[in-house]
Amino acid sequence: MTTPVIELRDVSRRYDAGPPALQDASMTVQAGEAVAILGPSGSGKSTMLNLIAGLDRPDTGTVTVDGVRVDQLGEAGSARYRRSKIGMVFQFFNLLDDLTVADNVVLPAQLSGMGRREANRRAADLLESLGIARHGGAFPGRLSGGQRQRVAVARALMNRPPLLLADEPTGALDSASGEDVSELLRGLNAEGQTIVIVTHDLSLAQSCTKRTVQLVDGRITADMNTRVAR
Amino acid sequence: MSALGRVVRSGVARRRVQTLVIGLAVMMAVTASVLGGSLLVASDAPFDKAFVRQHGSHLTAQFKADRTTSAQLSASADAPGVDAASGPYPTTTINPQVNGMSVAPLSVVGRAKPGGDVDRISLTEGRWVEGPGEIVLSADSGLLARMGLELQFSDLPGSPTLKVVGMARTVSHTADAWVEPSEIAALTPAGTTGGYQMLYRFTEADTAAQIGKGRAAVTAAAPAGSMAGSQSWLALKKVSARDTSLFVPFLVAFGVLGLVMSVLIVGNVVAGTVGTGLRRIGVLKAIGFTPAQVVRAYVGQALLPAAIGTAAGVVIGNLLAVPVLSETADAYGTTGLTVEPWVDIAVVAGALGVVAVAACLSAWRAGRLRTVDALAVGRTPTPGRGRRAAHLAARLPLPRPVSLGLARPFARPARTASMVAAVLFGATAVTFATGLASSLSEVVTARDHNAADVTIGVVGPQAGPGGPPGGSTATPDAAAVDAAIEAQPGTAKHYGSATTQATVSGVTGYTNVVGFDGDASWGGYTMVSGHWMSKAGEAVVPTPFMTATDTKVGDTVTLNAHGKSVTVRIVGEVLDTRNGGMQVYTDAATLENVEPGLQATSQYIAVKSGTSVGSYVSELNGKLQPLGVSSTSAKNESESDTVVILNSLTAILTLMLVAVAGLGVLNGVVLDTHERIRDLGIHKALGMTPRQTISLVVTSVVIAGLIGGALGVPLGMALHGAVMPAMGRSAGLNLPDSVIAVYHAPELVLLGLGGLLIAVLGSLMPAGWAARTRTATALRAE
C-alpha cells in the first residue's frame, strides 16, 4: 500500500467563539487522485483547503502532506512547504498585476532559489504546454479570465509540486472558460498530477474528479467515488 | 449616534494601524514642534526675559563697611529715581580650598533669602542656606562643584568649612556664592573689613545716562566715599548678548528643521491615510453619503487620533524640553526657561489645523470622485504605474524578494517622494550635526594651540601664551632651559614664548602681547587669512583685535609699554578666543625695545619621529630639575561649557529629527504594506518565507533612503556652511576653512548611507508586521 499524499486525522478548527468551521475531519488522498471537496458556502471547505495548504493550523488533529506534518510547521517552514509540495490555484487568480505573465509564472521558482535560466526554461515550457506562450510578455490585466486561470495553473505547477490545490477554479469564469479550465485540470490529472478541488459546483466536481468529499457545517457527510464526465 | 458618528467610530476602530500611525506621527511632530518652538522662543532675548523674571538689579553697588552703616544704606533706597532696592547684604571675598587645593577666590554675599524686591535668585539645584556652615554657589562662579562638596578655609581662625547645599543663578551676577549673613564675619580674614552690597532698580534704566543718574543719586544718599564700585545691568546685557548670539543661528536652524519636518510628515500621513480609504469612500457614497459628509467623516476620522497624539506630544514635548531648555539656560547664563504656554497652544492649533487641512483636501478629492471610480480605484495602485520598473527589476541578478522590493517605490511615486523628503530632512539634520561637532572640535583644537609634544611651563586649561605660566612658579633661566632642550637627543624643533602687556594706540585697556622665541608656526595656530610672521616687526592677531582696532591684514598698529612704543605690521589673522581675542602674537625680537630682557616662560617642543615622548620627558626633566622647571607631555585641552552644551543640544535635537524622519518612512511603508497586503498574501502563498518578506519590505525603502541621503548630505553641508560662519560672526570671529570645510569624502559617503539607515530603521516595524501576517488573512484582506 502506498503512502497517501494527504492524510487528515480528526482535524478541527474553530474561529473565535463561533461554531466549528471544521470538526473531526479525517480523510486521505492517494497520489494521482483527483478529489473534489464539495459543499455550500460556510461548510468548511475553504478551511480544509487552508489547512492542507499550510495557510492555517488546526486546533486539534493532524495534517500530513507528502510525509510532512503541516500542522507542526512554523511560518518559514510553511512557506518552504508551499514552495515544494503544493501549487495553488485561486478563484480570482491572485496574479500580481504589475508583473508580466512570465514573471508571475517564474516567481515560485525564484523564491525557491532555482537558477534563472532553468526557471525561465521551465516557465516557457509550461506556458507553451498550456497554450499561453504568446502572452508571456503581457500583463495579466490584458488577458481573459480563462487565460488568467491558465497562467495561475502554470504558476502553480512551476515547482513540480506533488499536490495541486484549486479553490473554486472556475468560479470567476464564464462557462466556456470554465470548461476550458476543467479540461486543463482533467488533462493534468490524467498525466498523474494529484489534484484537490474545492468547489460548490457539482458539475465541476463531477467533470474533473473521480471522488467527491461532501462537507456540511464543518463535518464530512459523504466521501464517494464519481464517474468522470469526459 | 448619528450615521456620521458611526462612520467615524468604525473607521477609527477598523483602521487601527493607520489610526495608530496618525496618532504616533502627530505625537512626534508635536513633540518636535514644542521643542523647536520653545528653543526659538528661548533664543529671543533670553537675558531680557530672565532679567524681568528675576526682577534683576539695574545697579549692583558695593560699599565699604568701614565707611557706612547698614541703616545708612537702607536709607539710600529712598534716593530719587530708585524704584526698589534690596540689601544691604554683608559681603566678603573668600579663598577656599577643596581637598587641600586652593581654588579661585569667590565673592560671597550674606543673604538670608533668595527672593526679595530685587534680584530674585533662582535655585537650579538643592536648597537655599538655612544656617551656618552652608553655602550656595552660583552656577556661573566657575567652580566645578557638586552638591555636598566641602569648602575648607584653613587660613581662617578655627579653619571653618562650608558645605555646598545648593546651586543658583542670578542673571544680575551679584555674587559667586551666598551664605547666611551671620557667616560673613567668620569668613572675613583678620585685618580686613568686609563690605555691603546694595541692589537697586530705577524707574528709568534703559540707557547708560539713566543708570549714571541713578548711580549718582544713590552715591549722594550714602556717606561720602563709601561706594567701592558698581555694576550696571547694561554691561551684563552686552556680554550676554555676545554670548547668546553664538547659539541663535544654531537653534534657529534646528527649530526650523523640526517645524518643517513636522508639517510635512503630518500632512503626508493624513493624506496617505485618506488616500488608502478610497474604496470605503466609494461605498459610503454608494449608500447615499454626500461629498460634504464624506469630507466631514474623514476629517473626524483623522482628527480623533490626531487629538490624542497631540495631547501626548504636548506632554512629551514639555517633558523633553525640561533638560533641553535647562541646557539652553546654561548656554544663555539664565534660568527659568520653560515652555511658554502660547507655544503649546500654537503647536496644538497648528497640528490639528494641518491634520484638518490635509484630511479635508484629500477627502474632498475623494469625495468628488464618481462613486463608481472610487469603488474601482479600490486599494491597489493605479494600474500601469511601476510596471516598467517591476519588469526591469525582475531582470536584475538579485534574489527575487529584493528585486520585487526595489520595484515597489515606482508604483507610488508621490508616497516615495514623501519618504525621500523625510529621509532628506533626517540626513540633513545628521549631516549638519556632524559638521557642527567637527567644526566645534576644530575651534577647540585651534584655540588650544596643542601641536607640541612636550611643553615646559604650560599647565592647566587657562595657561598657554595668553595665560599664566604653570608647572613651576620660579622664573627659569631661559637660556639654560633652551640649552637643555637643544642638547636633549630626540628634539626636533622648539620655540619659547613670553607674555607681556601693552596698550594699543586707539584701544582702551591692556592687550596681551606674546613674543615668540623661535618658529612657532607649527604650534597649532590656525590662520584665518594672511600668513604667519616671518621676521621681527610682523604680528598676527585674532579677529576681535582687528575689529577693535579697525585694522586688516597689511595694516600697522603701535604697541606701547614702559613709555616706549613699537609699530608692528599685521601679516596674518589667527583664530583665537583667549582674552576675548585681544592678543598680539609677534617675534620676541620685536619687543626688545619696549620690553628689554623679556624671557621665555613657556617652551614648546616637537620630538623627532620615533622618539618615545615619555622617555624624552623623563630624560629632559632630569636635566631641567636643577633649573627649577619641569616638562610634561600632558596636552592642554580645554573643552568649554559652550562646546559641551552645543554638542549635547545637537545630539538631542538630531535624535529627535531622525526619529521623526524614521516615522515618516514608517508611515509610508505601513500605508504601502497595508495597501498591498493581498499581494503580500499571494507571495506568501507561493512560498515567500518571513525572512524573504522582510527583505522585500526593507528593500522597498532602499531607493528612498539612498536618494534622501544623497540629497540630504549636500543640504546639510549647505546649512552648515551658512550657520557656522553666522555663529562665528555672532561671536566676533572669522572662521578659517579648516573650521568650515570639515567634511571629508569617506565621512560624506557614511552620512549618505545614514539616509539609508534611517529608511531601513523606519521600515523594520512594518516589515516585521508583514512577515507575521497570516497568509490566509492577507489573502482575504479587502
Side-chain angles (χ1 to χ4, degrees):
Chain A
M1 187 176 175
T2 57
T3 307
V5 174
I6 301 174
E7 184 173 11
L8 269 63
R9 277 196 186 169
D10 305 323
V11 172
S12 295
R13 179 74 171 106
R14 181 193 294 267
Y15 297 107
D16 301 324
L22 201 62
Q23 196 168 8
D24 299 327
S26 295
M27 70 168 205
T28 57
V29 176
Q30 300 297 328
E33 266 196 291
V35 179
I37 298 172
L38 199 65
S41 178
S43 60
K45 53 188 191 301
S46 289
T47 299
M48 183 178 274
L49 186 86
N50 285 344
L51 294 173
I52 295 169
L55 299 177
D56 199 0
R57 280 190 220 174
D59 297 325
T60 57
T62 62
V63 179
T64 307
V65 175
D66 202 30
V68 177
R69 277 288 297 275
V70 182
D71 57 288
Q72 291 182 332
L73 295 175
E75 275 297 307
S78 294
R80 282 189 285 271
Y81 155 75
R82 282 193 291 276
R83 277 183 204 162
S84 58
K85 302 292 184 187
I86 63 166
M88 289 190 77
V89 177
F90 302 90
Q91 178 179 359
F92 293 105
F93 327 122
N94 278 348
L95 297 173
L96 295 163
D97 292 336
D98 53 357
L99 298 186
T100 63
V101 164
D103 287 341
N104 263 286
V105 172
V106 88
L107 191 55
Q110 290 176 316
L111 291 174
S112 303
M114 188 188 288
R116 177 179 296 263
R117 190 168 297 174
E118 186 188 350
N120 285 340
R121 194 165 47 233
R122 167 77 177 151
D125 289 348
L126 278 168
L127 291 173
E128 183 66 40
S129 66
L130 292 172
I132 46 175
R134 64 196 173 94
H135 299 300
F139 288 96
R142 292 181 174 261
L143 304 185
S144 69
Q147 287 168 330
R148 282 191 233 183
Q149 199 59 296
R150 280 180 174 265
V151 176
V153 170
R155 185 179 66 182
L157 298 175
M158 185 68 199
N159 284 345
R160 295 187 176 87
L163 175 62
L164 180 65
L165 298 175
D167 186 3
E168 302 281 13
T170 60
L173 302 177
D174 57 55
S175 55
S177 300
E179 179 52 36
D180 182 41
V181 170
S182 296
E183 179 67 33
L184 172 63
L185 295 174
R186 277 197 303 272
L188 289 171
N189 182 237
E191 291 168 11
Q193 177 69 52
T194 309
I195 299 177
V196 173
I197 300 172
V198 164
T199 183
H200 65 277
D201 182 351
L202 183 60
S203 63
L204 173 71
Q206 287 178 334
S207 70
C208 291
T209 66
K210 299 169 186 172
R211 179 181 161 201
T212 300
V213 174
Q214 180 85 39
L215 276 173
V216 176
D217 293 338
R219 287 180 180 278
I220 295 175
T221 56
D223 186 343
M224 52 197 170
N225 287 324
T226 53
R227 179 185 296 274
V228 178
R230 303 239 177 218
Chain B
M1 184 180 281
S2 68
L4 200 64
R6 283 177 195 278
V7 167
V8 171
R9 195 180 65 175
S10 69
V12 168
R14 264 187 61 81
R15 304 248 169 186
R16 281 193 295 268
V17 174
Q18 287 169 342
T19 300
L20 185 70
V21 168
I22 290 183
L24 273 177
V26 173
M27 187 190 81
M28 292 295 286
V30 166
T31 302
S33 299
V34 167
L35 206 54
S38 298
L39 285 171
L40 291 179
V41 172
S43 302
D44 177 28
F47 177 85
D48 291 355
K49 287 177 182 168
F51 196 80
V52 169
R53 223 174 13 250
Q54 291 193 342
H55 229 231
S57 169
H58 287 143
L59 187 76
T60 302
Q62 183 72 21
F63 293 90
K64 297 170 185 167
D66 56 353
R67 296 281 184 90
T68 184
T69 65
S70 177
Q72 286 170 321
L73 289 176
S74 293
S76 70
D78 299 325
V82 174
D83 183 45
S86 190
Y89 302 118
T91 68
T92 190
T93 299
I94 57 176
N95 294 284
Q97 294 107 40
V98 176
N99 298 326
M101 300 281 286
S102 291
V103 296
L106 300 174
S107 163
V108 64
V109 168
R111 191 162 167 174
K113 291 179 179 171
D117 290 339
V118 185
D119 186 32
R120 293 165 187 166
I121 299 164
S122 303
L123 275 164
T124 57
E125 207 179 344
R127 59 169 174 80
W128 196 250
V129 289
E130 291 174 351
E134 296 182 344
I135 188 167
V136 169
L137 287 173
S138 166
D140 300 310
S141 67
L143 183 62
L144 286 174
R146 62 178 190 281
M147 298 292 292
L149 182 77
E150 281 211 336
L151 305 183
Q152 299 118 20
F153 301 89
S154 56
D155 50 345
L156 291 177
S159 300
T161 60
L162 293 175
K163 184 180 176 186
V164 178
V165 296
M167 300 295 289
R169 175 166 274 140
T170 159
V171 71
S172 301
H173 289 276
T174 52
D176 294 325
W178 296 269
V179 295
E180 264 284 294
S182 59
E183 188 91 63
I184 290 292
L187 295 173
T188 305
T192 63
T193 54
Y196 286 114
Q197 183 186 69
M198 280 297 293
L199 311 174
Y200 301 99
R201 281 183 68 85
F202 300 127
T203 49
E204 292 180 328
D206 294 336
T207 65
Q210 288 169 337
I211 294 290
K213 194 175 163 190
R215 183 191 292 110
V218 297
T219 304
S226 62
M227 186 184 279
S230 64
Q231 175 180 261
S232 161
W233 80 291
L234 294 175
L236 291 171
K237 184 179 176 180
K238 197 173 172 184
V239 171
S240 172
R242 192 191 64 202
D243 291 346
T244 57
S245 58
L246 180 69
F247 291 85
V248 172
F250 159 78
L251 291 176
V252 167
F254 266 113
V256 170
L257 263 180
L259 290 174
V260 172
M261 245 177 120
S262 302
V263 171
L264 178 90
I265 286 173
V266 168
N268 179 50
V269 166
V270 175
T273 305
V274 176
T276 56
L278 280 182
R279 190 166 177 277
R280 189 165 178 265
I281 288 171
V283 172
L284 290 177
K285 289 186 74 178
I287 59 174
F289 271 69
T290 65
Q293 283 177 312
V294 167
V295 170
R296 284 209 298 279
Y298 271 81
V299 170
Q301 207 169 301
L303 277 178
L304 204 64
I308 296 168
T310 301
V314 167
V315 172
I316 296 171
N318 278 263
L319 290 175
L320 264 180
V322 171
V324 173
L325 288 176
S326 169
E327 295 273 19
T328 309
D330 281 343
Y332 289 165
T334 65
T335 58
L337 289 185
T338 55
V339 179
E340 297 282 345
W342 71 263
V343 171
D344 282 341
I345 294 168
V347 169
V348 168
L352 295 180
V354 167
V355 170
V357 168
C360 252
L361 290 176
S362 305
W364 185 247
R365 184 176 138 262
R368 284 166 59 88
L369 273 178
R370 289 193 310 146
T371 307
V372 66
D373 289 339
L375 284 167
V377 168
R379 312 158 33 263
T380 49
T382 309
R385 264 191 191 156
R387 279 180 173 174
R388 186 183 293 271
H391 191 62
L392 290 174
R395 268 83 201 140
L396 293 173
L398 294 168
R400 194 63 179 116
V402 172
S403 58
L404 283 168
L406 285 177
R408 276 208 174 190
F410 299 95
R412 282 285 194 190
R415 183 172 298 152
T416 303
S418 76
M419 279 198 268
V420 167
V423 174
L424 183 149
F425 274 99
T428 301
V430 172
T431 304
F432 173 57
T434 309
L436 188 78
S438 301
S439 291
L440 291 176
S441 171
E442 286 290 330
V443 169
V444 171
T445 303
R447 190 183 55 186
D448 285 344
H449 316 314
N450 242 350
D453 298 313
V454 178
T455 57
I456 299 171
V458 184
V459 177
Q462 297 304 317
S472 170
T473 52
T475 304
D477 179 345
V481 172
D482 202 54
I485 295 169
E486 288 283 350
Q488 178 62 35
T491 301
K493 51 191 172 184
H494 71 104
Y495 67 88
S497 79
T499 303
T500 186
Q501 290 190 316
T503 59
V504 178
S505 301
V507 178
T508 56
Y510 283 93
T511 297
N512 280 341
V513 180
V514 181
F516 290 114
D517 180 12
D519 176 19
S521 61
W522 57 270
Y525 293 86
T526 305
M527 300 304 294
V528 178
S529 62
H531 59 83
W532 190 252
M533 71 200 85
S534 57
K535 60 186 179 193
E538 292 184 342
V540 295
V541 296
T543 313
F545 179 89
M546 294 172 78
T547 306
T549 55
D550 194 22
T551 52
K552 57 185 184 302
V553 172
D555 289 350
T556 57
V557 290
T558 302
L559 309 174
N560 311 295
H562 309 299
K564 295 177 182 175
S565 62
V566 59
T567 298
V568 296
R569 181 171 298 282
I570 298 172
V571 297
E573 180 184 1
V574 68
L575 178 64
D576 198 343
T577 58
R578 293 180 186 196
N579 197 34
M582 293 303 288
Q583 307 252 97
V584 173
Y585 296 105
T586 186
D587 193 283
T590 308
L591 304 174
E592 269 178 9
N593 282 337
V594 292
E595 191 73 57
L598 183 68
Q599 287 204 351
T601 51
S602 306
Q603 292 285 343
Y604 300 82
I605 306 161
V607 300
K608 286 178 182 168
S609 175
T611 303
S612 161
V613 173
S615 303
Y616 180 94
V617 167
S618 177
E619 288 171 23
L620 182 60
N621 279 344
K623 295 171 184 170
L624 292 176
Q625 197 175 14
L627 303 173
V629 293
S630 61
S631 65
T632 177
S633 60
K635 291 281 183 183
N636 178 24
E637 290 170 350
S638 56
E639 191 174 2
S640 74
D641 286 351
T642 308
V643 174
V644 172
I645 290 166
L646 275 174
N647 279 338
S648 49
L649 269 176
T650 304
I652 292 171
L653 294 171
T654 306
L655 279 177
M656 282 289 303
L657 290 179
V658 167
V660 176
L663 202 66
V665 175
L666 181 142
N667 166 63
V669 180
V670 164
L671 290 176
D672 194 54
T673 309
H674 196 268
E675 192 176 86
R676 306 188 67 145
I677 187 67
R678 197 152 165 273
D679 284 3
L680 212 55
I682 297 171
H683 287 131
K684 294 179 111 181
L686 296 177
M688 185 174 275
T689 62
R691 186 172 293 182
Q692 287 176 318
T693 308
I694 289 174
S695 301
L696 187 154
V697 177
V698 170
T699 313
S700 72
V701 300
V702 163
I703 290 176
L706 288 174
I707 295 175
L711 296 177
V713 168
L715 260 181
M717 289 172 70
L719 186 65
H720 174 266
V723 169
M724 271 314 291
M727 288 173 72
R729 279 194 298 276
S730 298
L733 298 172
N734 289 329
L735 299 177
D737 282 348
S738 63
V739 173
I740 305 291
V742 290
Y743 296 102
H744 307 291
E747 189 183 17
L748 289 176
V749 171
L750 286 177
L751 285 170
L753 292 176
L756 180 62
L757 185 66
I758 291 171
V760 167
L761 289 176
S763 71
L764 282 180
M765 201 168 84
W769 173 71
R772 284 192 302 276
T773 301
R774 298 181 74 90
T775 312
T777 311
L779 284 171
R780 278 201 305 271
E782 288 244 340

